[in-house]
Amino acid sequence: MAAALRAGLIGSGFMGRAHAIAMHSVGPTFGAEYQIECVLLADTSPASAQRAAESLGFARSTGDWRELVADPHIDLVDICTPNHLHAEMALAALIAGKHVYCEKPLALDLAQSIALAEAAERSGVRHAIGFNYICNPMVQVARQIIQAGELGEIVAFHGRYIEDYMGDPRAPYTWRCQRRLAGSGALADLGSHLINMTHFLLGPVARVCGTVKTVHRQRAEPVSGAQRPVENDDMAWALVELASGVGGTFDVSRIATGFKCGLAMQVHGTRGTLTFDQERMNELRLYRADDAEGRRGFRTILAGPEHPDYAAFCPAPGHGLGINDLKVIEIRNVVRAIRTGEQAVPDFAEGLRVQRVMTAIEQSAAQGGWLRVDEVTV
Amino acid sequence: MAAALRAGLIGSGFMGRAHAIAMHSVGPTFGAEYQIECVLLADTSPASAQRAAESLGFARSTGDWRELVADPHIDLVDICTPNHLHAEMALAALIAGKHVYCEKPLALDLAQSIALAEAAERSGVRHAIGFNYICNPMVQVARQIIQAGELGEIVAFHGRYIEDYMGDPRAPYTWRCQRRLAGSGALADLGSHLINMTHFLLGPVARVCGTVKTVHRQRAEPVSGAQRPVENDDMAWALVELASGVGGTFDVSRIATGFKCGLAMQVHGTRGTLTFDQERMNELRLYRADDAEGRRGFRTILAGPEHPDYAAFCPAPGHGLGINDLKVIEIRNVVRAIRTGEQAVPDFAEGLRVQRVMTAIEQSAAQGGWLRVDEVTV
Amino acid sequence: MAAALRAGLIGSGFMGRAHAIAMHSVGPTFGAEYQIECVLLADTSPASAQRAAESLGFARSTGDWRELVADPHIDLVDICTPNHLHAEMALAALIAGKHVYCEKPLALDLAQSIALAEAAERSGVRHAIGFNYICNPMVQVARQIIQAGELGEIVAFHGRYIEDYMGDPRAPYTWRCQRRLAGSGALADLGSHLINMTHFLLGPVARVCGTVKTVHRQRAEPVSGAQRPVENDDMAWALVELASGVGGTFDVSRIATGFKCGLAMQVHGTRGTLTFDQERMNELRLYRADDAEGRRGFRTILAGPEHPDYAAFCPAPGHGLGINDLKVIEIRNVVRAIRTGEQAVPDFAEGLRVQRVMTAIEQSAAQGGWLRVDEVTV
Amino acid sequence: MAAALRAGLIGSGFMGRAHAIAMHSVGPTFGAEYQIECVLLADTSPASAQRAAESLGFARSTGDWRELVADPHIDLVDICTPNHLHAEMALAALIAGKHVYCEKPLALDLAQSIALAEAAERSGVRHAIGFNYICNPMVQVARQIIQAGELGEIVAFHGRYIEDYMGDPRAPYTWRCQRRLAGSGALADLGSHLINMTHFLLGPVARVCGTVKTVHRQRAEPVSGAQRPVENDDMAWALVELASGVGGTFDVSRIATGFKCGLAMQVHGTRGTLTFDQERMNELRLYRADDAEGRRGFRTILAGPEHPDYAAFCPAPGHGLGINDLKVIEIRNVVRAIRTGEQAVPDFAEGLRVQRVMTAIEQSAAQGGWLRVDEVTV
């Protein structure tokens, strides 16, 4: 058996912890060939890095991410830092010849994303981006259903990703409100997942006609209480046309009171419709026009071992996977790409494609009409 | 006690039957002051009119709707004919000095609608249009919730009305596919209800940026099987801005496989969110950000006697109203307007406002950007 | 065409109003052959009867129900009075040679029920009892599904009817708490419907092992506030065995906080399961084990014109029927039985069968074990 | 920091794998003090044990479980073997002075369970049993809600655990059908969880009146196809009385077509009701009678970091935990009990209490009436 893949992790916040937990689980879940050795953890200071390494089961720690990138005992650099650091770190890792696995979004803007995707393309290493929601067995089976033609010809889709983490006008100003730290707002944070899922299920976006809204234009600094202007969108919506000609809509919000992980897709075909909602991530709703008359209705399919990747977690149906399990599948995909030399799905090229659509939504909103995704300007 | 209001009904199809059933129920349900006497029914031929009158409990019948309009024993003319006949009949009834109650849409296009609304305005009689869905107790309570500020400041809304009655590409060509008989497609048939509900809950629409799609561009004649071009939209979507400044979206479709009466609204505020779906018409879902931490969640409120108009049907909560009950409420509203001399809600002026928004969606779609509703061209 | 059936209504409370509304609707809904003429209404005083007659659209009124029973211009006596009056009135009507339509429960106890069922059997007239929930198109289709074998061999069922109208310990003492006015408590009020639905879907009950509970043993008189002992059950549960050998359970409560009309059935077969809940009365959930692997799940079937009796109300699917519509179907059944001379479904014999099961639950609870329904003692 | 707890795992099937995955996650999830070192894995043969150890990340392996129990480098023996092996192995581990963590059910019958619980009591080590479902944050919060009196006085409960893994009559004969290998059927496999959850939420069961059913009395051997008699229950139901006096019901089935993990609880109080269903394990439904009139309804509370133990997995609400995460919480509990010296919850004494209730259900069913749980016979 091959030796375990040696990983270094940069960042130990929300995503860093999720990645660490998943790295420990991926071997026992998917088998020894996907085992990861948690070698080195980098954080903002030696002390915090040491604490995180101990807690998250990494052998060594460092307060300097560049040290991690340069470490000869590491095969894979995993980047879980705030958005504005992604590009620099990923680039450094690519230059160091490491495989790179970076949380979304790829970068802060289109220029950075292009540079990064090109560097990745030239590098020869495997590169992957953390769009975990498409790893869900129910999303994978949704794709199978669509591609097998079970819905007939696709005629429309509606995608949304809405949450309420900034729904309260009194929610404080954070780095997420700042262009140079976060890029766009709800669009980058949530919309990027939605666009990726649309690509995964239905193929590339060709044109958009978007609108972006900053409802709460000022927020208070958490310490001083001083009001600061919010620099990016609370909500972003778009009319969409796919390369396939199919039309649809996007609805993205970080101020949708009551929604906690409202990433949902609805795909209409001539013979059926499917709907998915991450808040009920173990369910897929499927309507088949070909069911018998008087017996038609949306089926609530519960995730089970007959769906992709579920059986690795549990042999019994309906017992339920969780969000962290999606990271385990994602990391399995990363390891598999490295082992086989095949392109990871999704990779930096997909990160760039997603960025192009986000930019198109912002630019079309600014000019007030439709814009081709391949005509966005850097 | 006042004598019963004497009504004449034109048309005995889907809507005509629903109106007739409701006319017989309105007195027993809401009390004798709302009683209607079913005097005269007009249909396309004397024979069909006679059959319908007997079946639907009308005293007399006629094959000539003009006779009905002229009948001195009738106070109220109720128009339930196909869309292209609404304008002419309503105008004749107004001229004859009758109160007029007309099914939606008011007319086929903006010019007709303006003429009709102006005639109604000048007439001095009561005029009403059949947007029954806003009569639902749960929609009425939704309005109370919004207006009382229970959701805080409104920040966004999403409305859809999707059905699948033409979802099958093999569904035959009908009058609904023809501009001069139906006006627009899904937009007039379904979108009109959605726009009216938006007005009712959130106030006037100021600007739209729409797109309209005819996915199935040809359909087969039912008898000959000959392919005929479909002249109006299967789907219509729009980005929307209300006069209040609140943004939202519309999604209208007659080809949304699996949906049967998918008229749904989602309204987000800073302190709460409500959602409604006509397919579960006895439920309103309400999220309150002010509920205790760890106990927040969407409440599924079941319709009951504490909600507007429910108690007239049933003193026990959760027992459920049906679509025909909404017509009973609507007709009570019509009778009340006539009895009190107050404006009916919704009246022909609202029918015109709805038509303006529909026209704006079509015109903005044609020009590919935003359009102010008050700038549409006739 | 036959003349309209001439009806007299006794009682104008909750049920009386529902019957009156339905009587006016049944003709327009199902056709002239089912038309009812609302001739005479009896209530507790001449004044209240007159008010009710006027409001509910009856031609005449009386303060003496015996006058109504004796009236030669009445074909059908409809009894909507409190439980303890059912037996005397129904018997008088049978003796007078009238068709009788009586709200449930048939009587206060087994002895009364036997007497009444025997009198009805001897009378030669049509007799019917108001178990309206089985008139629901979705319950009718549930029966078709079961009888057609679509669920395979039935292996178990679970029925419940739970509400919360006495859930608050401070809810006042009413006639419903009193044995000689109400008979049993939740069992008679709600359980009777559940037992009837079980009979309708699955056939006769053979044996039960029940328990009855009076949780709130005293309640306050509404005026004096004096505490009075509650004489019947708040909750009644039973293990059940059907004549077919299939086992199941009953769960009945009037103190189930949060439930408003929680009449639900779950039927398990070897090839499928169906569930129904009156609080979502327009839905039937159906699981088919024979659906393709990975595509199985409970279908939520929306009521539509392809289901029994729905089309009479509305040609469009998913638009929703309400509780009052079930009464319209029930009254159509009554008129049809009278017109055709066939037994009404359900009739007084069914009322007696239901009473036997209720008595068996109470007697088995008293003795603490299983009891055959045909071995209950009067 | 303390050294990691050294664990040996016996068995690598469904549960063995789940335990192994969780052992690797518990440290990164809950912190270094809960870290487990995966030392030794025992399986039925040296070869299978070696394969499993490699795949599941255990350092060593053995084909002889007695070797594992005797290993001086192991602190905790984790038993994930088929039911009939639990007692012997657990006893051996207790005798060897190891902490013991055993999958449910504790043993095959009451006599074994008593012996085991007594041995555990005497041993001085920590002992725990794998009732993972009560580890769910939403079940933990349900308990808090009940104990804080948020539902008022509890008046009733209904618990069910139904699945369909043997719903097909053609499902083959397995060890689960055999008394001496499995003990009771659905009752031991599923009912044990339900009884434990009832204990956890509502306290001890005092009396039961049960019924057990073997619907499919013969099943075919998988290889030979020969029919063999099924020796235990497909379904078990009971009327229940808790020590608190509260009544309720149990419904357990392994042939409930369509249900995959249907462990559900409904608890009614005078001021509220809560319902939970493991198939939507991230939701708790809560009804509060004290909400404002017209605004009452079941709230669907989504799991989030404000609920017990959720935050260790994810800082964002509504993102969803999975079944394997419950095992992580359970193992954290086991490690914590060992670290603190406090009793584990649930321990072998709870395993015995659950067995007593299961035995009472079977014995009450045999005798056809109510039985006190403390009067069951060995």
Side-chain angles (χ1 to χ4, degrees), chain C residues 18-150:
Chain C
H19 282 229
I21 295 171
M23 283 177 179
H24 289 287
S25 298
V26 66
T29 305
F30 281 103
E33 65 270 35
Y34 298 110
Q35 205 158 322
I36 286 186
E37 187 185 343
C38 294
V39 173
L40 181 54
L41 185 149
D43 208 339
T44 46
S45 76
S48 68
Q50 193 189 331
R51 276 195 307 274
E54 187 170 295
S55 161
L56 298 175
F58 277 71
R60 293 186 281 123
S61 63
T62 172
D64 177 5
W65 67 266
R66 290 181 188 279
E67 197 180 297
L68 183 150
V69 166
D71 193 297
H73 302 293
I74 282 178
D75 307 310
L76 170 69
V77 173
D78 182 358
I79 302 169
C80 291
T81 54
N83 298 4
H84 71 289
L85 299 170
H86 291 180
E88 183 184 12
M89 291 172 172
L91 204 57
L94 289 170
I95 288 169
K98 307 297 191 193
H99 303 294
V100 187
Y101 168 34
C102 183
E103 260 307 316
K104 49 58 57 177
L106 191 54
L108 290 186
D109 57 29
L110 184 55
Q112 270 190 356
S113 298
I114 291 173
L116 209 47
E118 285 177 355
E121 173 69 19
R122 281 192 309 266
S123 68
V125 300
R126 298 305 97 203
H127 41 95
I129 182 165
F131 289 127
N132 54 306
Y133 294 113
I134 62 171
C135 296
N136 188 324
M138 300 323 274
V139 176
Q140 294 189 59
V141 81
R143 189 177 193 231
Q144 291 174 351
I145 286 170
I146 292 167
Q147 294 193 343
E150 294 181 42

Side-chain angles (χ1 to χ4, degrees), chain A residues 17 25 29 280 283 312 320 323, chain D residues 17 25 29 280 283 312 320 323:
Chain A
R17 290 193 71 243
S25 300
T29 304
R280 288 184 170 162
E283 300 180 7
I323 184 77
Chain D
R17 290 192 72 243
S25 298
T29 304
R280 286 182 171 164
E283 301 181 6
I323 185 78

Side-chain angles (χ1 to χ4, degrees), chain B residues 3 22 56 82 104 112 143 176 220 234 238 270 319 323 336 348:
Chain B
L56 298 175
K104 45 64 48 178
Q112 270 192 353
R143 189 178 193 230
R176 289 202 174 281
D234 287 329
T270 51
H319 282 50
I323 185 77
R336 189 168 56 189
F348 280 21

Side-chain angles (χ1 to χ4, degrees), chain D residues 19-324:
Chain D
H19 283 228
I21 295 169
M23 283 177 179
H24 289 288
S25 298
V26 67
T29 304
F30 282 102
E33 65 271 35
Y34 299 110
Q35 205 157 323
I36 285 186
E37 188 185 342
C38 295
V39 174
L40 181 53
L41 185 148
D43 208 339
T44 45
S45 76
S48 69
Q50 193 190 332
R51 276 195 307 274
E54 186 171 298
S55 160
L56 298 175
F58 277 71
R60 293 186 281 123
S61 64
T62 172
D64 177 6
W65 66 267
R66 293 180 186 279
E67 195 180 298
L68 183 150
V69 166
D71 193 298
H73 302 294
I74 281 177
D75 307 309
L76 171 69
V77 173
D78 182 358
I79 302 168
C80 292
T81 53
N83 299 2
H84 72 288
L85 298 170
H86 292 180
E88 182 184 13
M89 290 172 173
L91 205 59
L94 288 170
I95 289 169
K98 307 297 191 191
H99 302 294
V100 186
Y101 169 33
C102 183
E103 260 307 316
K104 48 61 48 177
L106 191 54
L108 290 187
D109 57 31
L110 184 55
Q112 270 191 356
S113 298
I114 291 172
L116 208 48
E118 285 177 355
E121 174 69 19
R122 282 192 309 267
S123 70
V125 300
R126 297 306 97 204
H127 41 96
I129 181 165
F131 288 127
N132 54 306
Y133 294 113
I134 63 171
C135 297
N136 188 325
M138 299 324 273
V139 176
Q140 294 189 60
V141 82
R143 189 177 193 232
Q144 291 175 352
I145 287 169
I146 292 167
Q147 295 194 343
E150 295 180 41
L151 304 183
E153 180 199 352
I154 305 304
V155 298
F157 79 94
H158 299 285
R160 67 162 164 78
Y161 193 172
I162 61 179
E163 295 198 353
D164 70 358
Y165 60 86
M166 299 191 78
D168 190 333
R170 297 162 301 185
Y173 186 91
T174 72
W175 66 268
R176 288 201 175 280
C177 306
Q178 221 169 335
R179 228 342 114 176
R180 69 177 183 78
L181 295 182
S184 57
L187 192 56
D189 188 31
L190 307 176
S192 57
H193 281 293
L194 177 60
I195 295 164
N196 167 250
M197 187 176 284
T198 303
H199 288 168
F200 182 72
L201 293 176
L202 296 163
V205 172
R207 298 195 309 145
V208 297
C209 176
T211 186
V212 293
K213 289 173 189 289
T214 307
V215 170
H216 303 302
R217 299 183 166 279
Q218 301 213 321
R219 290 188 184 266
E221 282 276 4
V223 180
S224 70
Q227 292 289 318
R228 287 190 59 175
V230 174
E231 297 171 0
N232 51 26
D233 55 289
D234 286 330
M235 306 192 291
W237 308 330
L239 307 173
V240 179
E241 192 177 286
L242 302 180
S244 65
V246 170
T249 60
F250 286 151
D251 161 19
V252 175
S253 175
R254 63 187 179 192
I255 61 167
T257 303
F259 291 85
K260 306 306 176 186
C261 196
L263 173 57
M265 282 295 292
Q266 190 174 95
V267 181
H268 299 168
T270 51
R271 304 310 303 153
T273 284
L274 66 76
T275 77
F276 167 80
D277 185 342
Q278 174 66 23
E279 288 187 355
R280 286 182 171 164
M281 61 174 278
N282 290 291
E283 301 181 6
L284 186 71
R285 298 183 75 241
L286 174 66
Y287 182 94
R288 300 283 307 272
D290 297 324
D291 282 343
E293 195 184 8
R295 303 291 181 274
R296 290 177 203 129
F298 276 94
R299 300 175 194 178
T300 301
I301 303 171
L302 278 179
E306 65 275 30
H307 302 122
D309 288 331
Y310 181 100
F313 295 88
C314 182
H319 282 50
L321 302 193
I323 185 78
N324 285 353

Side-chain angles (χ1 to χ4, degrees), chain C residues 276-305:
Chain C
F276 167 80
D277 185 341
Q278 174 67 23
E279 288 188 355
R280 287 184 171 162
M281 62 174 277
N282 289 291
E283 300 182 5
L284 186 72
R285 298 184 74 239
L286 174 66
Y287 182 93
R288 300 285 306 272
D290 297 324
D291 283 343
E293 194 184 10
R295 302 292 182 273
R296 290 175 203 131
F298 275 94
R299 301 176 194 179
T300 300
I301 303 171
L302 279 178

Side-chain angles (χ1 to χ4, degrees), chain A residues 1-6 31-37 75 335 338-340, chain D residues 54:
Chain A
M1 194 185 67
L5 189 78
R6 299 167 305 172
E33 65 270 36
Y34 298 110
Q35 205 157 322
I36 285 186
E37 189 185 341
D75 307 309
V335 179
I338 294 170
R339 292 296 185 214
T340 63
Chain D
E54 186 171 298

